[in-house]
Amino acid sequence: METAKVGEEERQPRHAQGESSTLDWRSRPSNPAKHGGIIPAAFILGLQAFEIMAIAAVGNNLITYVTNDMHFPLSKAANVVTNFVGTIFLLALLGGYLSDSHLGSFWTMLIFGFLELSGFILLSVQAHVPQLKPAACNVLTDGEQCVEAKGLKAAIFFVALYLVALGSGCVKPNMVAYGGDQFDQDNPKQLKRLSTYFNAAYFAFSLGELVSLTILVWVQTHSGMDVGFGVSAAVMAMGLISLICGTLYYRNKPPQGSILTPIAQVLVAAISKRKLARPSNPQMFYGNQNHTGPLLSDKFRFLDKACIRVVQEGTDTKESPWRLCSVGQVEQVKILLSVIPIFSCTIVFNTILAQLQTFSVQQGRAMDTHLTKSFNIPPASLQSIPYIMLIVLVPLYDTFFVPFARKFTGHESGISPLRRIGFGLFLATFSMVAAAVMEKKRRDAAVKHNETLSIFWITPQFLIFGLSEMFTAIGLLEFFYKQSLKGMQAFLTAITYCSYSFGFYLSTVLVTLVNKITSTSSNGGWLHYNNLNQDRLDLFYWLLAVLSFLNFLNYLFWSKRYSHAPSLSQPNAKEINPYVEDDNIP
């Protein structure tokens, strides 16, 4: 994007001027009768379902391959897995930036999708060819004789693994954003379908996770990791085929140039003019002289100084775009700053998710896993419970609840994304309450009565969290996508994925801190012994329940303050956005 020049006309960054016209696959203006809508969105949902099947199958069983085949020590293997997962979600920012700024969503998904596919293929080849792995041995019986993968063998493994991470990280945010781009938000009918699309996107995600946790992990376990990685490659190839099949029907938003430059210009201009007095008349701000531009909101008023004109209008001297920014440009930065507290409130939510994938699985291993005399439930399969719930509840929610709620609220989504997030965060607290109560019951039965409870006792915490996730995760995606930061939808979607990384990192920090704080000279901490009958996991769950409730109260505070509309003190603020109250939690 060329740097906007200061002249007699109001200068606006491209992404602040309203939604760019969409193009077809030949870069011609799109035709609403032929391009966009539910059909091309369905092809993108196909990619989403297949991609999550492929990547989740690798991530869920990666530690088995790293220890059994590559012979890494358990601690190192655990770090490999956590670094891999964390890298995927952090690289989502790169994918969002490249899409919005330079490549566009379609080409970003296609290019990095093939990189991800090549990573799966390389993993499968290495797992299949004995010369590319250390000599086979049993780590349980011959642990000291097992040789850890080093040199070329380790290099091949990490190249393959991080090709997968790079590809998946850059594809993920664009799948949701590109599907949303197929709907025109200025069309009331399509705006309602957009809400349905976000529900469908999470349905596709849940279906992919469920198939991965059951069928694909079973294939890896019984047919070998080479076949498992090969199946992931085949599934990813099917996802790319689904993407390509919709090429003729897509609406494509052209990239806007660097999405970060206009933000940096506002910050630099505001800092350089920090000593200037803020004008009392809003029409004195640059870009507001004709009464047609957006109004400056009352939040983050220090940024308003970026709009103060120092050079007199009509002179030959023009201020640099790094010294003078328009009202619209400043408002875009204010919106971005306003959503950060909403994003931060979902980190604790994902910390709870980390417990369901770690400690709750350990709970299951300490319980009776028999469904019948001859059939056991793998504790790791408990992670599929939330996704089974989502597959059932999401269609019901969209089919029955949304139309019913729409009659009372008038909101196209039934309830606003902010209310939806808030209700999900509230429910997440009870997931940890159920976990704490059940762990206390399980521990007392084992320690005091030498009894082993059925694994079904811990299903409520998974069920409650599944319901919570339906509200929080889908609401967060819809909330970020609908922000009026035009040209930044993929980048904003990528920000939501960072919450997963931060949530898992916070879990690690909490476990370390809890052990240090609760340890004494004679006793270790709550989670010190690696034995649930000696540890106090129930107390740790109660701590998370308290943190979750405090996080919910924090969310209420920030959601109440949030408003993407201009200042309500302005006389025509309600005219600009008549639904401003709908996006606040009462």
Side-chain angles (χ1 to χ4, degrees):
M1 180 178 67
E2 297 180 1
T3 304
K5 297 180 180 180
V6 180
E8 296 302 319
E9 299 179 357
E10 177 185 359
R11 171 171 47 80
Q12 293 266 14
R14 287 188 194 176
H15 67 275
Q17 291 179 1
E19 185 171 352
S20 303
S21 59
T22 56
L23 308 174
D24 67 5
W25 67 286
R26 292 182 177 177
S27 298
R28 301 174 302 187
S30 61
N31 183 345
K34 297 181 180 179
H35 304 105
I38 197 66
I39 292 178
F43 287 112
I44 300 167
L45 290 176
L47 170 63
Q48 181 159 358
F50 286 125
E51 195 277 337
I52 193 61
M53 283 182 205
I55 189 68
V58 171
N60 288 328
N61 225 8
L62 182 60
I63 194 166
T64 302
Y65 179 72
V66 174
T67 53
N68 292 350
D69 291 69
M70 305 304 289
H71 304 157
F72 286 7
L74 184 58
S75 59
K76 186 175 181 179
N79 286 336
V80 167
V81 175
T82 54
N83 291 341
F84 170 68
V85 175
T87 300
I88 288 175
F89 291 123
L90 288 179
L91 282 172
L93 291 175
L94 174 64
Y97 172 78
L98 289 175
S99 171
D100 289 335
S101 299
H102 303 294
L103 297 176
S105 290
F106 178 81
W107 285 106
T108 302
M109 287 190 293
L110 195 62
I111 292 170
F112 287 95
F114 274 104
L115 284 178
E116 185 176 357
L117 174 60
S118 67
F120 287 131
I121 293 173
L122 188 54
L123 280 174
S124 180
V125 170
Q126 183 182 46
H128 183 73
V129 178
Q131 291 81 1
L132 300 180
K133 299 185 297 181
C137 74
N138 190 321
V139 294
L140 296 178
T141 58
D142 307 318
E144 295 182 359
Q145 284 73 39
C146 292
V147 179
E148 178 183 341
K150 294 182 179 178
L152 180 62
K153 296 172 183 177
I156 292 174
F157 169 71
F158 283 112
V159 167
L161 191 65
Y162 281 93
L163 276 174
V164 172
L166 176 62
S168 182
C170 291
V171 166
K172 282 186 184 302
N174 286 287
M175 293 186 293
V176 176
Y178 194 48
D181 291 346
Q182 305 312 307
F183 301 91
D184 183 3
Q185 294 192 54
D186 295 327
N187 184 323
K189 291 184 178 179
Q190 293 215 358
L191 190 59
K192 291 181 180 179
R193 291 175 183 172
L194 180 62
S195 175
T196 298
Y197 163 74
F198 284 112
N199 289 318
Y202 220 77
F203 177 86
F205 169 83
S206 301
L207 182 62
E209 280 278 8
L210 182 60
V211 172
S212 171
L213 285 166
T214 53
I215 298 175
L216 298 191
V217 170
W218 185 90
V219 169
Q220 290 176 347
T221 304
H222 292 81
S223 300
M225 295 299 295
D226 54 343
V227 176
F229 290 146
V231 171
S232 288
V235 168
M236 185 64 201
M238 293 170 64
L240 290 173
I241 291 172
S242 178
L243 173 68
I244 294 170
C245 284
T247 302
L248 300 180
Y249 306 100
Y250 295 136
R251 299 169 75 238
N252 299 293
K253 290 183 179 179
Q256 305 296 303
S258 176
I259 58 175
L260 301 180
T261 299
I263 298 172
Q265 288 174 342
V266 170
L267 298 176
V268 170
I271 292 173
S272 64
K273 295 181 178 180
R274 63 190 181 278
K275 295 183 179 179
L276 296 181
R278 185 181 185 275
S280 56
N281 183 1
Q283 304 305 323
M284 296 295 293
F285 291 111
Y286 180 66
N288 232 15
Q289 295 89 344
N290 298 325
H291 304 270
T292 58
L295 298 175
L296 277 171
S297 57
D298 287 336
K299 57 190 175 185
F300 306 115
R301 291 166 65 92
F302 66 93
L303 294 175
D304 297 348
K305 295 183 179 182
C307 304
I308 300 175
R309 186 193 293 273
V310 177
V311 178
Q312 289 294 326
E313 193 172 0
T315 63
D316 293 334
T317 305
K318 298 178 180 179
E319 287 190 75
S320 162
W322 293 90
R323 290 276 301 171
L324 180 62
C325 303
S326 68
V327 168
Q329 194 175 345
V330 169
E331 278 304 298
Q332 295 285 288
V333 178
K334 288 185 176 184
I335 292 171
L336 188 60
L337 293 177
S338 296
V339 301
I340 291 176
I342 304 297
F343 156 81
S344 64
C345 289
T346 64
I347 294 175
V348 172
F349 171 82
N350 285 302
T351 300
I352 292 174
L353 173 62
Q355 312 316 311
L356 297 181
Q357 295 183 1
T358 53
F359 286 122
S360 291
V361 175
Q362 291 296 107
Q363 274 184 289
R365 287 179 179 149
M367 304 179 81
D368 182 4
T369 61
H370 286 87
L371 183 60
T372 65
K373 290 183 178 180
S374 58
F375 181 77
N376 290 8
I377 299 177
S381 295
L382 292 170
Q383 299 175 60
S384 65
I385 293 175
Y387 301 113
I388 294 173
M389 278 200 63
L390 289 168
I391 288 172
V392 175
L393 291 179
V394 168
L396 294 176
Y397 178 90
D398 190 69
T399 303
F400 298 105
F401 177 78
V402 172
F404 175 78
R406 193 181 287 150
K407 294 178 182 179
F408 297 94
T409 65
H411 198 283
E412 68 275 359
S413 301
I415 58 175
S416 70
L418 281 181
R419 285 193 175 98
R420 188 167 183 170
I421 296 169
F423 188 62
L425 294 180
F426 179 70
L427 284 177
T429 300
F430 293 95
S431 175
M432 286 295 95
V433 170
V437 171
M438 289 303 105
E439 172 57 15
K440 180 67 163 59
K441 182 179 181 67
R442 185 210 63 78
R443 187 176 184 273
D444 286 347
V447 174
K448 297 179 181 179
H449 307 291
N450 197 27
E451 296 178 359
T452 303
L453 295 183
S454 169
I455 196 171
F456 288 105
W457 279 102
I458 65 170
T459 55
Q461 61 211 57
F462 288 93
L463 291 172
I464 296 171
F465 188 82
L467 187 61
S468 170
E469 190 169 17
M470 184 185 74
F471 287 97
T472 301
I474 303 176
L476 189 67
L477 287 173
E478 184 176 358
F479 170 73
F480 269 86
Y481 183 85
K482 288 185 175 180
Q483 294 305 307
S484 54
L485 284 164
K486 300 304 180 183
M488 292 184 66
Q489 269 67 35
F491 186 76
L492 286 172
T493 304
I495 291 177
T496 66
Y497 285 101
C498 289
S499 177
Y500 288 93
S501 287
F502 296 154
F504 276 71
Y505 293 149
L506 177 59
S507 175
T508 302
V509 172
L510 279 177
V511 170
T512 303
L513 287 177
V514 163
N515 272 336
K516 287 185 177 180
I517 293 173
T518 59
S519 63
T520 64
S521 57
S522 58
N523 267 332
W526 287 351
L527 307 171
H528 172 74
Y529 295 103
N530 293 322
N531 183 332
L532 292 186
N533 291 339
Q534 292 181 273
D535 288 332
R536 294 307 306 268
L537 181 60
D538 57 325
L539 298 180
F540 182 65
Y541 279 152
W542 279 116
L543 173 64
L544 285 174
V546 171
L547 289 178
S548 179
F549 185 70
L550 293 177
N551 179 66
F552 169 70
L553 297 179
N554 182 49
Y555 174 80
L556 289 181
F557 172 80
W558 289 110
S559 61
K560 189 69 177 177
R561 292 172 60 89
Y562 171 81
S563 170
H564 62 268
S567 170
L568 293 179
S569 63
Q570 301 291 349
N572 58 345
K574 195 69 177 175
E575 296 176 9
I576 293 175
N577 185 0
Y579 299 106
V580 61
E581 293 178 355
D582 290 343
D583 279 333
N584 291 308
I585 302 291

